[in-house]
Amino acid sequence: MATAATPATNMAMIKPCISSSRKVFMSSTASFSTESKEASWNRLTSSSHISSSFRSIFSAPIKFKKVVTRAMSSENENKPLPGLPVDLRGKRAFIAGVADDNGYGWAIAKSLAAAGAEIIVGTWVPALNIFESSLRRGKFDESRVLPDVQMMFPEDVKSNKRYAGSSKWTVKELVESVKQDFGSIDILVHSLANGPEVTKPLLETSRNGYLAAISASSYSFVSLLKEFVSIMNPGGASISLTYIASERIIPGYGGGMSSAKAALESDTRVLAFEAGRKHKIRVNTISAGPLRSRAAKAIGFIDMMIDYSLANAPLQKELSAEEVGNAAAFLASPLASAITGAVVYVDNGLNAMGVGVDSPVFVDLDIPKDKLELDVEIPTIFVNWTS
């Protein structure tokens, strides 16, 4: 039998303390206060804290950098917003799997921050140096801007060189560190996936490659929730990311990744029952459409998948990461208090299609299409399985 490696973390603590004229935070956080241009947000206060990481359950280490941003108005902090808003003020979220600013993890973190939540961001060790360098050099400046014109990561976080280095490596140690510094969380987001043999067909996938995909893309979610549930507040929410390959054939999406996503969706339902009954925590997963992210480019044909979606989805537009982020913010909010155990599709409706309408078979049918985007020939996807 194969044995599963125990995930490991090591938390390095940075504890800057900056006090504002209106609020002073404890030594484990940094407080920032600036004037907002919007009347409904008189003051934005952000607390930032960095720590590190855990080792991947299959072998590669993972490091978690905690960057906390809390948006809240000083005068109306405890008053409900008008209408029916997604209001996450007073909530704290941990987002695992943020490596750059063009993936779903970043978009979810940004949407949660825009809704008022504190965010703690985690990234993979192999991507950590690139992430830190890009943050400090200003490559993320444009995408860091929140709706109220404040920055998701304050300047102190972007420029602080003390955040490098870490020593703890288990998920349990990670949770203990978060508990020590913040007490509890309300939202857990799993945006991790890795399949080292994703370009191989399933028939050619090795046992190690298959188990690695399951470990990083499915069991890592179980592992995170299992440990974090002890410090999650009742009524909290957990969200992961899945893909339509879990239930439909996507040629080229191999290496056991389709199996891993199917396992993730099954685990979502089981965990919704167990975490719901025992801890009153909701568990959902978002089945997101294709996005031209850094991770997706590793598959090798992401552009063709986006073109296919444009040609065949009910909504003929390219999916944005922000749309997935906003769906996550909704699922994490009290507005979704009765939703758990669900697979929520955010893919312009592609999941509903039984056939591809760009097929020559339907050439004589009068199928409406967006001429602005689709007056080009969409290439047929062909995957060469030979090495």
Side-chain angles (χ1 to χ4, degrees), residues 357 359-367:
V357 296
S359 170
V361 174
F362 303 109
V363 68
D364 294 327
L365 292 182
D366 184 18
I367 298 176

Side-chain angles (χ1 to χ4, degrees), residues 186-204:
D186 304 278
I187 303 161
L188 176 64
V189 178
H190 178 274
S191 183
L192 297 168
N194 183 53
E197 299 181 17
V198 66
T199 58
K200 292 183 178 180
L202 190 56
L203 284 174
E204 297 176 14

Side-chain angles (χ1 to χ4, degrees), residues 6-14 49-56 61-66 94 123 125 128 163-178 181:
T6 303
T9 59
N10 189 349
M11 307 301 297
M13 305 299 173
I14 312 296
H49 185 87
I50 300 290
S51 83
S52 56
S53 56
F54 66 65
R55 186 176 301 277
S56 165
I62 303 173
K63 177 180 291 183
F64 283 105
K65 170 187 283 288
K66 299 193 302 182
F94 182 89
T123 188
V125 166
L128 181 61
Y163 296 155
S166 60
S167 56
K168 301 177 184 178
W169 293 100
T170 68
V171 176
K172 186 174 182 179
E173 287 171 322
L174 169 66
V175 173
E176 289 173 351
S177 296
V178 173
D181 296 331

